[in-house]
Amino acid sequence: MKNSVIETIMNHRSIRKFEDRVLSDEQIQTIVECAQAASTSSFIQAYSVIGISDKELKSQLAEVVGNQTYVAENGHFFVFCADLYRHQVISEMEKTDLSTSLESKEKFMVATIDAALAAQNAVLAAESMGLGACYIGGIRNNLEEVCSLLKVPKRVIPLFGIAVGYPAQLPEKKPRLPYEHVYHKEEYKQDIVEYKQQLTQYNQTISQYYHERTDGKRTDTWTGQMVTMLSKPKRMYMKDFVSKQGFDLK
Amino acid sequence: MKNSVIETIMNHRSIRKFEDRVLSDEQIQTIVECAQAASTSSFIQAYSVIGISDKELKSQLAEVVGNQTYVAENGHFFVFCADLYRHQVISEMEKTDLSTSLESKEKFMVATIDAALAAQNAVLAAESMGLGACYIGGIRNNLEEVCSLLKVPKRVIPLFGIAVGYPAQLPEKKPRLPYEHVYHKEEYKQDIVEYKQQLTQYNQTISQYYHERTDGKRTDTWTGQMVTMLSKPKRMYMKDFVSKQGFDLK
């Protein structure tokens, strides 16, 4: 089962090195309009996008989030935000208190999901034009500074960036978890023996992947990588930050 | 700027009425594999998908979430879940306590975003095959019952459903917020006068959209719709539920 949409989707890899060439206004507008075409919960449209072309600003941002070169060096940098600020403005325009809704966990989830659906459309639109993209979760390393740099108000949370540009590399695709491990039929399977076997099998796949690509220097397993990553809790300021932005209080 | 990916994206509309025809196993597998091809934060792959084909189970689910007919009547029903259960299993396999990470707001956001990126790939893959789809936020109406019906364990949160099938309707596309309102250049614009003008302009677009399509019976504005929706807080049990599932505690 193949068509150009499925091929674009399956051909995805994160691009972290770009040619020194900027996106055109038309490309940027198409990417954002594609983002806006995504489904949105009850038509709430609870997201916004900040686009950064200024080189100096991109460098500052790269420094704030931890100096990933591709945050500074790309064809355009997008920041996708969960956004209930416009609904706050509406509350004032229509003189109705909406704070219980706006501060609920439900609407925090809605805005986060809305922004992510839009972002994935943006990435695929970019990839369909021959561009490459990389999600930058690193902007969550220091959201206080990111918000101050990009003048982000209360009721808005920058969730992630997307670096987009003309690819200057073609990395390998990393094999995903086994289909049977991720896809459950009719109900969530809880056969723990089979579940662990699938993880062990996947570990072999991943080890072999690294082994082949590093002349045997790397032989990480996936579960090993996950333990290393998750045993160092990251971004533990997030709970306070999200509250301070007026989200997820109720 | 056009190609078949951009056309598929821009052509999206939510389909709520399907032919009585099921998806093939091959279609389902392609849709899920496309979901899995999406980017995932630090390779964490923190989601899973439950696929429901059983008619009786779909009917029960429709009842639990509020009797939307298209939850019961479709070609296949997918439930996308934020999933850190496998990382909990890994924690036990590798005898390392990962609970601080797994219970952090950061990882709640990561899992939610991961699942949403995957889901949007799934929807576009389905649409590229000539299928239609509709996100079902309604499954969040009653997640306790949904979890019990689908045997969903702790560390997993069903976020939304997607009803997929052969379209039996072709609804109009609803106009989105003005591009300039959603897309900010270099920083988050805060000119409140201009911001409100854009909302007023969009209200006219939306009123006209309804007016034309209902022979003048409906003339809602977007801000009016938002006030009506948001002044009735929904799913206020979510904070407790999410905690109970072992997410977003720290």
Side-chain angles (χ1 to χ4, degrees):
Chain A
M1 198 156 293
K2 275 207 170 176
N3 61 48
S4 59
V5 175
I6 291 171
E7 276 169 28
T8 302
I9 289 172
M10 293 304 291
N11 199 36
H12 166 74
R13 50 208 81 193
S14 294
I15 301 298
R16 295 183 172 84
K17 197 166 166 26
F18 302 98
E19 292 177 14
D20 185 15
R21 191 174 158 199
V22 299
L23 267 61
S24 69
D25 288 344
E26 195 194 352
Q27 284 173 317
I28 294 166
Q29 182 152 354
T30 301
I31 288 169
V32 175
E33 285 176 351
C34 280
Q36 290 192 261
S39 283
T40 161
S41 177
S42 303
F43 207 33
I44 191 172
Q45 304 180 75
Y47 60 87
S48 55
V49 185
I50 306 171
I52 305 170
S53 59
D54 184 81
K55 281 199 168 194
E56 176 57 27
L57 185 56
K58 282 199 270 193
S59 293
Q60 288 175 296
L61 196 62
E63 204 169 315
V64 160
V65 309
N67 258 323
Q68 289 165 321
T69 52
Y70 41 102
V71 174
E73 292 164 17
N74 50 59
H76 202 69
F77 194 81
F78 296 91
V79 177
F80 275 72
C81 306
D83 191 337
L84 292 171
Y85 172 73
R86 66 174 65 88
H87 302 84
Q88 178 63 44
V89 171
I90 291 170
S91 155
E92 289 153 22
M93 282 168 80
E94 309 255 354
K95 296 184 179 48
T96 313
D97 178 20
L98 305 175
S99 57
T100 304
S101 268
L102 297 181
E103 293 170 1
S104 65
K105 181 171 295 280
E106 161 69 12
K107 288 296 177 284
F108 173 61
M109 291 167 73
V110 159
T112 303
I113 293 167
D114 254 30
L117 301 182
Q120 186 57 15
N121 269 7
V123 163
L124 289 171
E127 289 173 341
S128 78
M129 299 174 194
L131 301 167
C134 184
Y135 281 95
I136 311 291
I139 71 158
R140 292 196 305 278
N141 286 338
N142 195 343
L143 281 175
E144 289 283 2
E145 292 279 349
V146 168
C147 285
S148 143
L149 208 56
L150 306 181
K151 303 204 174 36
V152 171
K154 201 176 158 179
R155 302 256 194 247
V156 180
I157 299 174
L159 294 173
F160 46 79
I162 307 178
V164 178
Y166 290 87
Q169 60 172 194
L170 184 67
E172 297 274 347
K173 292 197 293 180
K174 264 192 279 190
R176 300 309 204 227
L177 281 164
Y179 175 72
E180 305 70 33
H181 191 75
V182 168
Y183 182 65
H184 303 261
K185 287 183 183 164
E186 312 299 344
E187 64 183 42
Y188 197 102
K189 253 181 301 180
Q190 307 221 32
D191 180 338
I192 193 70
V193 175
E194 195 188 356
Y195 199 85
K196 287 184 179 174
Q197 275 167 357
Q198 289 166 346
L199 289 172
T200 307
Q201 171 204 333
Y202 184 54
N203 274 343
Q204 288 162 2
T205 308
I206 291 293
S207 284
Q208 192 171 345
Y209 167 88
Y210 286 120
H211 190 271
E212 281 169 12
R213 274 150 199 85
T214 61
D215 280 331
K217 278 178 208 137
R218 267 183 85 171
T219 52
D220 322 24
T221 63
W222 185 70
T223 59
Q225 286 184 344
M226 291 302 110
V227 166
T228 305
M229 173 178 71
L230 295 170
S231 58
K232 300 183 209 88
K234 255 168 94 172
R235 304 172 187 152
M236 296 305 290
Y237 77 100
M238 196 59 73
K239 200 167 183 72
D240 289 342
F241 177 80
V242 166
S243 301
K244 212 191 104 226
Q245 289 304 94
F247 281 81
D248 197 5
L249 296 160
K250 288 170 187 173
Chain B
M1 197 156 293
K2 275 206 168 179
N3 61 49
S4 59
V5 175
I6 292 171
E7 276 170 28
T8 302
I9 288 173
M10 294 303 290
N11 199 36
H12 166 74
R13 50 209 77 194
S14 295
I15 301 297
R16 295 184 172 84
K17 197 166 165 31
F18 301 98
E19 292 176 15
D20 185 15
R21 192 174 156 197
V22 300
L23 267 62
S24 69
D25 287 344
E26 195 194 351
Q27 284 173 317
I28 294 167
Q29 182 153 354
T30 301
I31 288 170
V32 175
E33 285 175 351
C34 281
Q36 290 192 261
S39 282
T40 161
S41 178
S42 304
F43 207 33
I44 192 172
Q45 305 180 75
Y47 60 88
S48 55
V49 185
I50 306 170
I52 304 169
S53 59
D54 184 80
K55 281 199 168 194
E56 176 56 27
L57 186 56
K58 283 200 268 192
S59 293
Q60 288 175 296
L61 195 62
E63 204 170 314
V64 160
V65 309
N67 257 320
Q68 290 165 321
T69 51
Y70 40 101
V71 174
E73 292 166 16
N74 51 59
H76 203 69
F77 194 82
F78 296 92
V79 177
F80 275 73
C81 306
D83 191 337
L84 292 171
Y85 172 73
R86 69 174 62 89
H87 302 83
Q88 177 64 43
V89 172
I90 290 171
S91 154
E92 290 152 23
M93 281 167 80
E94 309 255 354
K95 297 185 180 49
T96 313
D97 178 18
L98 305 175
S99 58
T100 304
S101 268
L102 298 181
E103 292 170 1
S104 66
K105 182 172 295 284
E106 162 69 10
K107 288 297 178 283
F108 173 60
M109 291 167 72
V110 159
T112 303
I113 293 167
D114 253 30
L117 301 182
Q120 186 57 14
N121 269 8
V123 164
L124 289 171
E127 289 174 340
S128 78
M129 299 174 194
L131 300 167
C134 184
Y135 280 95
I136 311 290
I139 71 158
R140 293 196 305 279
N141 285 337
N142 195 343
L143 282 174
E144 289 284 0
E145 292 279 348
V146 168
C147 285
S148 142
L149 207 55
L150 304 181
K151 304 205 172 39
V152 171
K154 202 178 158 178
R155 301 256 196 246
V156 179
I157 299 175
L159 294 173
F160 46 80
I162 307 178
V164 177
Y166 290 86
Q169 61 173 190
L170 185 66
E172 297 275 349
K173 291 197 295 182
K174 265 194 277 189
R176 299 310 205 225
L177 280 164
Y179 175 71
E180 305 71 33
H181 191 74
V182 168
Y183 183 65
H184 303 261
K185 286 183 183 163
E186 313 298 346
E187 62 184 43
Y188 197 101
K189 254 182 301 181
Q190 306 222 32
D191 180 337
I192 192 71
V193 176
E194 195 188 354
Y195 198 85
K196 286 184 180 176
Q197 275 168 358
Q198 289 165 346
L199 289 173
T200 308
Q201 171 205 332
Y202 183 55
N203 274 344
Q204 287 163 4
T205 309
I206 291 293
S207 285
Q208 194 171 344
Y209 167 87
Y210 285 120
H211 188 273
E212 280 169 11
R213 274 150 200 84
T214 60
D215 279 333
K217 277 177 209 141
R218 269 183 82 172
T219 52
D220 322 24
T221 63
W222 185 70
T223 59
Q225 286 184 344
M226 291 302 110
V227 166
T228 304
M229 174 179 69
L230 296 170
S231 57
K232 297 182 210 88
K234 255 166 95 174
R235 303 169 188 154
M236 296 305 291
Y237 76 100
M238 197 59 72
K239 201 169 183 71
D240 290 341
F241 176 80
V242 166
S243 302
K244 211 190 105 226
Q245 289 304 95
F247 281 83
D248 197 6
L249 295 160
K250 287 170 186 171

